[in-house]
Amino acid sequence: MRDFYKQSIDYIPAAKRNTLTLKEAWEEVFECQISKDKLYAECRAGRLPHTKVGSKILFRRDSLLAWFHEQETKNYSANIESHA
């Protein structure tokens, strides 16, 4: 049964999956623009929405995108206020 599940999930294109490994999040959401070490550090510091299953770090694509949008909004608002 486990092998069947593993094989069936492989047929789902990565762009359609909502659950991402750290490597997938780094490649697809962060587009390799920060180092993997920085991504690990942000997780350890609790600044990124993630969960751990054993030693594996997992992300929800929609949570990361919402977090990313929130960060953009905060940075934009802070920049506007500092120039006012």
Side-chain angles (χ1 to χ4, degrees):
M1 182 71 166
R2 186 181 209 188
D3 291 333
F4 172 76
Y5 177 74
K6 174 69 175 137
Q7 289 173 349
S8 64
I9 193 106
D10 289 339
Y11 289 114
I12 302 171
K16 300 288 183 184
R17 283 191 253 152
N18 195 33
T19 304
L20 303 171
T21 64
L22 187 126
K23 182 178 184 238
E24 290 168 337
W26 178 68
E27 291 172 347
E28 297 174 27
V29 176
F30 293 96
E31 298 175 350
C32 307
Q33 295 298 307
I34 62 172
S35 70
K36 282 185 190 176
D37 289 339
K38 179 65 175 171
L39 191 53
Y40 278 114
E42 292 298 302
C43 289
R44 278 192 304 274
R47 290 189 282 263
L48 283 173
H50 70 284
T51 190
K52 284 187 79 173
V53 178
S55 62
K56 192 166 203 109
I57 297 173
L58 298 174
F59 301 89
R60 290 281 186 189
R61 180 188 308 273
D62 53 5
S63 296
L64 277 180
L65 293 175
W67 173 86
F68 210 98
H69 178 72
E70 182 181 315
Q71 299 308 305
E72 288 175 323
T73 303
K74 283 180 185 177
N75 291 336
Y76 178 75
S77 296
N79 192 24
I80 294 295
E81 290 173 8
S82 69
H83 286 86

